[in-house]
Amino acid sequence: MRHLFILMVLCVLTFEVKSENLNNGFFDMSLDQLADIEITSVAKKPQKLSLAASSIFVLNQEDIKRSGVTTIPDALRMVPGVQVAKLDANKWAISIRGFNDIFSNKLLVLMDGRSVYSPFFGGAYWDTIDTVLEDVERIEVIKGPGGSLWGANAVNGVINIITKHAKASQGGLVSALAGNEERGKLSTRYGGEINQDTHYRIYAKGFEKDEAGEGVDDWRMGRVGVRVDSEPSNKDKLTLQSDVYAGEEGERAISTITTPPFGTFASKTDVFGGNVLFRWQRDLGENSDLTIQSYYDLTEREHFYIKDHRETVDIDLQHRFQTFWQQEIIWGIGFRYIEDETKAGKLLAFSPQRRSDQIYSGFVQDEISLIDDELILTLGSKFEHNSYTGFEYQPSARLLWKFYDQHSLWGSISRAVKVPNRMEHDATIQRTRAAGGTLALNILGSQNMDAEELTAYEIGYRYLDKQFTFDTSFYYNDYQNLRSLEQAAVINGVFPLIIDNKIEGEVYGIEVAVSWQLMQAWRIHTGYSYTQMQLHLKNSSTDITEEADEGDTPHHQTTIRSLWQVSEDWQLDGALRYVDMIKAGRGKEAVKSYTTIDLRVAWQAHEAVEFSLVGQNLFGKHQEFRGSTVETQATDVEPSVYFQTDLHF
């Protein structure tokens, strides 16, 4: 900490100071202005939130900063309808509208338009999704299917993390924190100008986190990155960005097989990755534009149960134009190539060890203004061909009625699919061996597995006012061909469970988000969600485990956040969260409901220096999720207090 302090003092003496007051204009904007910002994730184009026929929630930079969170997963706790549960110090189970798990596979996550979902298990490794949080412009969360635009695996929702344009992050930033759970974090970023049309941003970030409870799940990670934005003409916009990261994280695991290690043991996971993305946007005039984007992504993960090396190349073209009778059409085509190599560990083996997959896709969407901006009908579909199930289609129909300036009502019907992943298709998972080593229980992937299917029905209402906003949505999801584990005959001492599609289900619920401006300097944000899952076996199913997944999602979640600008130089913010219990299923342990509180106080000591003190989970330690299906054991989430200093220059 002494070295960090000296570094900050030197920066103050060396660089030209920029004025960064705590009261930075956030409270100068009314609630309806904040809530009606332009979003891009719902329609793959800029549009006002009030005209979005979808359940969407936006976290802006001020939300993230004043929450005091240090990770993107913890920031998502502020979104009604998103289930966030911390498994240990470096792992989360995150989902939308049910099916929560550390390997949740019905949620698409994007980082500046780059998909970060892993084909290994069909979900996201949240420990590697990171950047300098001060450079995140907003996080757009679509709750409900997004497959008609984003494709397979955008089943229950889409999370799009959007970072700032390089021009919006000029100058320098040094941010350092330390505490009991947050051992230390240092983020540095500098933005400059190459010429009047081209700006850049470079950053470096590193942190170390303490283990949770009595566990061995400490975590350390480092990353560097660069972004360049250029506008060589009034019609063209170019973006080039790249990130590289490396880290080590621990966990407490348990082995139920007859080869070492035995029982509970400590394990380390090494992660490494990098990516580069290029995007060109061309204004074609008369409300028409063209976007071409391409990226390369490399990920490596070495765990006690598997070593996975994966490379992805993706290219995407999108064209938007207007036609007769107030219609706006967006269409696009894409290609993705994925190549991987897996090496067997203690629990997992793959056949084949090497695999390459291709995804060819196209989409079209027609937005029809039946009555100006008062009644809008949107029709569209995504068409894909993948290496696992072949051709898939995902249509949707959405209708929005803005029947008064501040009021809008919307409804939608959508179809979405989740295609099998590498694990479900090619893996052999050795779970346990009976006493004496006479009988093994293995889970076997199936090359005959079909895509899981969803038909979703949604209706929502939105009210935006200067001092009060209200947003609610109701949904009913009908699932077919969900994953099951079917029993088969014992062969050579092995009792196999074969992955199949013999579960059906319904998930329904309500989500509510309310914001209230009590006075000019004080705002309250509240959120509530109710989720009900019901899974059913088909008559021919012999599954005895997967049906119990319905208990992994809490019925009730409530959040109340307070943002108070005490004075020009002081802020006091807090959040109260309640999460309902996770019920025990077959072979699973119940997790009790919990209530916790987070507090943050910040002081602008100088034009360029800000100090903040943050306390998280202050009602005591608690468990948030069960152990995972690959024998990673859950640990308690403990109270955390840390001190942070931010220097702008």
Side-chain angles (χ1 to χ4, degrees):
M1 288 299 294
R2 182 175 63 184
H3 296 92
L4 294 180
F5 178 75
I6 294 173
L7 174 62
M8 294 174 198
V9 172
L10 289 174
C11 289
V12 172
L13 296 176
T14 305
F15 295 97
E16 177 184 359
V17 171
K18 282 193 166 188
S19 176
E20 289 284 346
N21 197 283
L22 274 176
N23 188 13
N24 57 7
F26 176 73
F27 281 96
D28 294 335
M29 298 181 67
S30 62
L31 282 177
D32 60 338
Q33 290 174 319
L34 283 172
D36 207 17
I37 62 173
E38 281 196 341
I39 57 175
T40 58
S41 302
V42 174
K44 275 198 171 182
K45 66 166 188 174
Q47 68 172 164
K48 289 186 176 181
L49 188 147
S50 60
L51 298 179
S54 179
S55 178
I56 184 166
F57 192 96
V58 179
L59 292 173
N60 57 43
Q61 170 57 216
E62 194 72 9
D63 290 323
I64 297 170
K65 176 182 176 181
R66 299 186 64 163
S67 68
V69 299
T70 59
T71 65
I72 289 173
D74 285 330
L76 296 173
R77 296 180 188 272
M78 293 182 276
V79 183
V82 177
Q83 290 87 39
V84 179
K86 202 167 187 178
L87 186 74
D88 63 17
N90 52 68
K91 299 177 187 64
W92 288 262
I94 299 179
S95 67
I96 294 177
R97 296 180 175 178
F99 297 96
N100 202 21
D101 190 85
I102 186 176
F103 295 116
S104 176
N105 57 19
K106 296 177 178 60
L107 177 62
L108 182 65
V109 185
L110 304 165
M111 191 86 172
D112 285 323
R114 174 177 58 88
S115 173
V116 293
Y117 112 103
S118 172
F120 177 74
F121 68 96
Y125 285 116
W126 289 98
D127 54 341
T128 61
I129 301 174
D130 193 17
T131 187
V132 175
L133 291 184
E134 289 82 358
D135 290 337
V136 175
E137 180 180 293
R138 65 186 186 275
I139 302 176
E140 298 178 2
V141 181
I142 301 174
K143 294 170 287 182
S148 61
L149 286 177
W150 298 104
N153 299 88
V155 178
N156 284 3
V158 178
I159 296 176
N160 194 3
I161 304 159
I162 300 170
T163 61
K164 295 177 181 177
H165 190 284
K167 190 176 182 179
S169 53
Q170 297 293 281
L173 167 70
V174 177
S175 178
L177 67 82
N180 65 325
E181 296 296 313
E182 304 278 349
R183 289 178 177 171
K185 184 192 80 170
L186 179 64
S187 300
T188 61
R189 178 257 289 157
Y190 186 79
E193 180 181 285
I194 298 175
N195 55 51
Q196 62 178 3
D197 300 320
T198 306
H199 299 81
Y200 69 90
R201 173 175 73 235
I202 56 175
Y203 79 86
K205 176 180 181 179
F207 65 81
E208 182 173 351
K209 296 179 184 289
D210 195 16
E211 67 268 8
E214 301 298 323
V216 290
D217 48 339
D218 52 328
W219 182 22
R220 56 198 58 83
M221 183 85 74
R223 65 174 58 234
V224 295
V226 60
R227 172 167 175 161
V228 180
D229 289 291
S230 179
E231 298 182 17
S233 71
N234 58 2
K235 291 182 177 292
D236 295 292
K237 296 179 181 179
L238 305 175
T239 298
L240 177 67
Q241 58 190 104
S242 179
D243 305 271
V244 178
Y245 65 85
E248 179 189 71
E249 52 200 50
E251 67 182 321
R252 186 175 63 187
I254 186 169
S255 175
T256 57
I257 60 178
T258 56
T259 56
F262 303 106
T264 301
F265 63 96
S267 175
K268 293 290 184 183
T269 299
D270 294 319
V271 297
F272 173 80
N275 62 81
V276 59
L277 177 146
F278 174 76
R279 181 167 52 247
W280 171 43
Q281 297 170 281
R282 172 76 172 180
D283 184 357
L284 302 177
E286 297 182 353
N287 296 310
S288 177
D289 56 59
L290 176 71
T291 300
I292 297 176
Q293 175 181 284
S294 181
Y295 66 81
Y296 166 79
D297 189 278
L298 164 69
T299 61
E300 291 183 355
R301 180 173 293 259
E302 186 170 0
H303 195 280
F304 77 91
Y305 57 77
I306 197 70
K307 181 177 181 180
D308 181 47
H309 173 98
R310 191 171 304 275
E311 297 180 66
T312 302
V313 177
D314 183 279
I315 185 167
D316 180 84
L317 179 148
Q318 175 183 306
H319 179 214
R320 178 176 68 98
F321 64 95
Q322 288 194 339
T323 182
F324 57 89
W325 198 49
Q326 302 187 75
Q327 292 188 76
E328 185 173 78
I329 295 176
I330 302 176
W331 68 275
I333 55 175
F335 172 73
R336 182 175 299 169
Y337 177 82
I338 305 167
E339 185 174 276
D340 71 50
E341 180 181 6
T342 58
K343 294 184 179 180
K346 293 295 182 182
L347 296 177
L348 281 175
F350 283 79
S351 180
Q353 289 189 351
R354 291 176 175 265
R355 180 178 176 125
S356 60
D357 297 308
Q358 300 84 37
I359 302 175
Y360 303 87
S361 65
F363 78 91
V364 61
Q365 178 174 278
D366 188 2
E367 183 180 286
I368 308 168
S369 297
L370 301 176
I371 306 177
D372 295 327
D373 285 340
E374 296 180 11
L375 188 64
I376 301 174
L377 174 65
T378 304
L379 304 172
S381 183
K382 183 91 170 186
F383 306 94
E384 289 185 333
H385 187 279
N386 66 81
S387 300
Y388 290 100
T389 62
F391 176 76
E392 302 287 352
Y393 66 98
Q394 299 179 80
S396 71
R398 299 179 180 273
L399 182 66
L400 180 132
W401 179 28
K402 194 171 183 180
F403 55 92
Y404 198 69
D405 285 343
Q406 299 165 314
H407 304 263
S408 57
L409 187 68
W410 61 269
S412 69
I413 302 175
S414 309
R415 181 181 187 270
V417 300
K418 185 203 79 69
V419 301
N421 51 62
R422 184 81 150 95
M423 213 173 198
E424 294 169 333
H425 197 262
D426 300 323
T428 296
I429 308 174
Q430 184 171 300
R431 289 298 307 279
T432 187
R433 187 177 293 273
T438 57
L439 184 64
L441 173 63
N442 287 359
I443 299 175
L444 306 179
S446 172
Q447 298 186 7
N448 296 320
M449 191 178 182
D450 295 326
E452 298 181 1
E453 301 176 8
L454 165 66
T455 303
Y457 308 87
E458 300 176 89
I459 187 170
Y461 166 74
R462 190 176 290 124
Y463 172 80
L464 304 178
D465 187 63
K466 291 183 178 180
Q467 293 183 304
F468 185 81
T469 67
F470 179 84
D471 195 328
T472 186
S473 56
F474 305 84
Y475 64 91
Y476 180 88
N477 290 348
D478 182 14
Y479 296 88
Q480 300 291 325
N481 297 332
L482 292 173
R483 183 181 62 200
S484 63
L485 297 179
E486 303 300 327
Q487 302 175 33
V490 176
I491 303 176
N492 297 326
V494 175
F495 180 50
L497 298 177
I498 300 176
I499 296 178
D500 208 330
N501 300 90
K502 294 189 177 182
I503 294 181
E504 302 170 342
E506 308 86 39
V507 180
Y508 55 89
I510 180 175
E511 298 148 355
V512 180
V514 178
S515 296
W516 184 19
Q517 180 101 32
L518 281 79
M519 57 183 68
Q520 178 63 28
W522 189 16
R523 286 180 180 165
I524 298 291
H525 302 276
T526 65
Y528 168 77
S529 65
Y530 171 77
T531 307
Q532 176 64 49
M533 286 186 63
Q534 296 176 344
L535 302 181
H536 322 286
L537 300 178
K538 295 181 179 180
N539 292 334
S540 60
S541 177
T542 58
D543 182 278
I544 59 172
T545 59
E546 299 299 281
E547 187 181 14
D549 286 351
E550 63 184 22
D552 287 340
T553 300
H555 288 308
H556 304 276
Q557 291 191 146
T558 304
T559 302
I560 302 174
R561 293 189 292 132
S562 170
L563 283 68
W564 183 20
Q565 189 77 41
V566 180
S567 68
E568 185 176 1
D569 298 327
W570 286 90
Q571 292 174 343
L572 179 61
D573 307 310
L576 180 69
R577 292 185 288 113
Y578 169 79
V579 179
D580 202 3
M581 70 175 296
I582 295 176
K583 295 182 178 179
R586 191 184 299 266
K588 299 177 181 178
E589 182 181 352
V591 178
K592 296 180 180 179
S593 62
Y594 67 90
T595 302
T596 190
I597 190 170
D598 303 332
L599 293 174
R600 172 183 176 270
V601 58
W603 172 43
Q604 190 83 39
H606 185 269
E607 287 182 333
V609 182
E610 173 189 331
F611 299 108
S612 56
L613 181 65
V614 177
Q616 297 174 321
N617 301 301
L618 296 181
F619 280 175
K621 66 180 182 180
H622 58 272
Q623 187 176 336
E624 295 187 354
F625 206 66
R626 56 171 175 78
S628 81
T629 54
V630 290
E631 317 305 351
T632 299
Q633 300 302 290
T635 57
D636 288 336
V637 177
E638 294 192 319
S640 171
V641 178
Y642 70 82
F643 179 75
Q644 179 168 336
T645 302
D646 294 328
L647 169 67
H648 297 266
F649 56 90

